[in-house]
Amino acid sequence: MKKLIIGICAFLSLTSTLSAQQPMKSITVKTEAGEDEVIGLPQGLLSETDSLYLDWISRNYIDWGENCTATAANPQVSDSVYIDRLQRIPALIEMPFNSIVREFIEMYATRLRQKVAFILSANNLYMPIIEEAFDLYDLPLELKYLPVIESAMNPTATSAQGAVGLWQFMLGTGKVYGLKITSLIDERRDPVKSTRAAARYLRDLYDIYHDWNLVLAAYNCGPGVINKAIRRAGGEKDFWALYNYLPSTTRGYVPAFIAANYIMNYYCEHNISPLDMKLPDSTDTLLISRPLSLQQVSKVCGIHIDQLRALNPEFKKDLIPGNEEPYALRLPTPLISTFLDREDSIYNYKPDTYLNRRTTVEVKSAARASSGAGGQAVYHKIRNGETLGSIAAKYKVSVSQLQKLNGIKGTAIRAGKSIRIR
């Protein structure tokens, strides 16, 4: 318990520290000519930790890791050591070193070291999904660290430009790669579906450029920008040869990717200890073919709504529109049987509160809409001996109209009651 409390306190300190910092949008590095160069930072280095999304994680599944010694001090590392370590990473994509790469490594190891501790913990949840997809599409596994610089491993991350999810898909690109995006659903936030889409996109980019550094650059700024840079550089197809023809943020993208691979492999050497994310023992999915609110599942099955949201981030408004098409609901495995046993109760739990979209609506007829003088409804107090027919004749309306207005079946009425005429 003491270790858990320490871990939570450390995480809360992390979120408060990050929120207190003013986010940097660029860094300044020295060129080989000794001049200052401003390089824009990728989204994953700009975004702060989403405390609302991570609140459930911090309260339930964050623990302090024990496999490294965590201190506030970052040891000094020589360029030769950086070069040696980078070359030891078992990667297909080249990991060269220069002053820009060093700047990004030291940013991760100093200013962002607490963020790195959380990102390392998120690996427990998302890396198996990413590695499985990249193995399926035969992609270099070191690409699995792209979400570190894209979203800081947050599936609900949203950039100022509208890119969403672990892989920061823009709406148009997401739809091209089969991700559904509506008012209720955003599959860019679905770790499984978005990862498969990212794998296909990366594979398609490689088929164009046959160079992984150019693939990374194109992933950041788009193939059109890369093609323009290639033309301006006289046909050069090496990232570092194109460097000065690229946008500021893209110049820093490949160095940031190299630095992310470095810090994900050598965090212990920089006295960074990952937070351990203790996940449910296992999860499984159910297909939902009717409208269902996550709130209904939470209340009847006894699972915290924040946990449901964390396991199902693609449902933007807590609503599963299963009547449109079947959607997968992810639950901790022990709750699968609970859901099946209580299925009727779940769907019938306060539908008027949680599923309040009307399927039909009554439009008043012209006769009903035209009330008495001034638009007011007209009523008549029933006297002894009056019948529904006599009242209808008195006001020149039909018996069926009186029945419809007053919800009367048959013709029985009672003296002393009021009846609506129009």
Side-chain angles (χ1 to χ4, degrees):
M1 177 61 73
K2 181 179 179 182
K3 186 172 67 172
L4 178 60
I5 293 172
I6 292 173
I8 292 175
C9 290
F11 179 78
L12 294 177
S13 172
L14 158 65
T15 56
S16 62
T17 299
L18 290 173
S19 61
Q21 294 174 343
Q22 293 296 319
M24 296 171 57
K25 295 186 177 180
S26 63
I27 59 173
T28 302
V29 299
K30 291 286 186 183
T31 66
E32 292 183 358
E35 299 175 349
D36 288 342
E37 179 184 359
V38 177
I39 298 177
L41 297 181
Q43 176 64 28
L45 298 179
L46 292 173
S47 62
E48 300 299 345
T49 304
D50 186 342
S51 60
L52 290 176
Y53 170 71
L54 298 173
D55 181 59
W56 161 71
I57 295 175
S58 68
R59 285 185 283 106
N60 294 277
Y61 293 115
I62 290 293
D63 200 355
W64 194 248
E66 294 183 324
N67 59 332
C68 300
T69 301
T71 69
N74 177 47
Q76 294 295 316
V77 179
S78 68
D79 287 358
S80 61
V81 171
Y82 278 138
I83 293 169
D84 180 66
R85 288 176 180 173
L86 283 169
Q87 297 312 305
R88 290 177 183 272
I89 296 175
L92 178 64
I93 302 173
E94 64 177 7
M95 302 279 176
F97 178 82
N98 54 36
S99 60
I100 305 169
V101 172
R102 181 187 182 100
E103 192 74 27
F104 277 101
I105 291 175
E106 294 189 346
M107 180 183 297
Y108 277 123
T110 54
R111 184 178 182 274
L112 298 178
R113 61 192 290 109
Q114 291 178 307
K115 192 177 206 177
V116 169
F118 171 76
I119 292 173
L120 286 162
S121 73
N123 286 350
N124 296 342
L125 181 57
Y126 301 119
M127 279 306 160
I129 295 171
I130 297 171
E131 289 175 348
E132 180 181 354
F134 282 15
D135 180 62
L136 178 66
Y137 287 94
D138 195 26
L139 298 176
L141 287 182
E142 55 269 29
L143 289 170
K144 66 186 179 182
Y145 294 126
L146 263 182
V148 173
I149 59 175
E150 284 290 339
S151 63
M153 301 298 290
N154 182 355
T156 64
T158 302
S159 75
Q161 293 74 34
V164 172
L166 285 176
W167 299 95
Q168 290 291 281
F169 272 109
M170 295 296 288
L171 186 145
T173 308
K175 286 189 172 183
V176 166
Y177 283 88
L179 298 178
K180 187 170 184 178
I181 302 157
T182 69
S183 297
L184 301 177
I185 298 290
D186 193 341
E187 292 183 342
R188 293 175 295 176
R189 296 162 48 141
D190 182 321
V192 175
K193 291 180 180 178
S194 68
T195 296
R196 295 292 178 94
R200 294 194 299 274
Y201 186 33
L202 289 165
R203 182 188 61 186
D204 289 349
L205 289 174
Y206 187 77
D207 287 343
I208 296 171
Y209 297 109
H210 302 285
D211 180 278
W212 284 112
N213 282 330
L214 284 188
V215 167
L216 292 169
Y219 191 92
N220 175 251
C221 65
V225 177
I226 298 300
N227 294 342
K228 182 179 179 180
I230 291 173
R231 289 194 297 271
R232 292 176 62 197
E236 285 282 358
K237 293 186 178 179
D238 175 76
F239 171 82
W240 300 104
L242 296 176
Y243 183 84
N244 290 317
Y245 299 97
L246 297 171
S248 168
T249 302
T250 308
R251 292 179 189 178
Y253 196 79
V254 170
F257 171 76
I258 295 170
N261 270 269
Y262 173 90
I263 204 68
M264 292 295 108
N265 281 277
Y266 295 107
Y267 54 88
C268 275
E269 285 78 358
H270 289 268
N271 300 327
I272 300 174
S273 182
L275 299 171
D276 287 339
M277 188 182 294
K278 305 297 184 183
L279 303 173
D281 289 338
S282 62
T283 62
D284 205 346
T285 57
L286 290 163
L287 279 183
I288 304 300
S289 301
R290 296 161 55 185
L292 179 67
S293 169
L294 296 185
Q295 296 282 356
Q296 292 174 296
V297 180
S298 171
K299 300 294 185 183
V300 178
C301 292
I303 177 173
H304 199 285
I305 187 62
D306 289 343
Q307 183 176 4
L308 269 180
R309 288 168 178 160
L311 291 174
N312 302 275
E314 65 271 29
F315 303 121
K316 297 193 291 186
K317 304 298 181 182
D318 289 352
L319 181 64
I320 306 174
N323 57 324
E324 296 177 6
E325 62 179 83
Y327 284 97
L329 171 67
R330 184 167 295 278
L331 295 170
T333 300
L335 283 184
I336 295 292
S337 59
T338 303
F339 184 99
L340 295 174
D341 291 342
R342 303 179 186 177
E343 187 167 1
D344 289 341
S345 299
I346 294 169
Y347 284 108
N348 293 326
Y349 182 80
K350 296 185 177 180
D352 293 340
T353 300
Y354 297 117
L355 305 172
N356 55 7
R357 292 178 62 184
R358 294 178 293 180
T359 56
T360 61
V361 64
E362 182 182 357
V363 179
K364 292 183 179 180
S365 66
R368 291 179 64 184
S370 58
S371 307
Q376 299 297 314
V378 176
Y379 290 87
H380 172 81
K381 190 172 183 179
I382 303 170
R383 299 182 179 90
N384 284 327
E386 286 186 316
T387 65
L388 202 60
S390 66
I391 295 172
K394 179 178 178 179
Y395 290 96
K396 296 181 173 54
V397 297
S398 66
V399 171
S400 62
Q401 182 178 334
L402 294 180
Q403 290 171 322
K404 187 174 183 180
L405 278 173
N406 295 276
I408 298 173
K409 294 182 179 180
T411 57
I413 55 176
R414 190 167 61 181
K417 297 290 185 181
S418 290
I419 187 172
R420 184 174 175 178
I421 305 302
R422 57 177 66 91

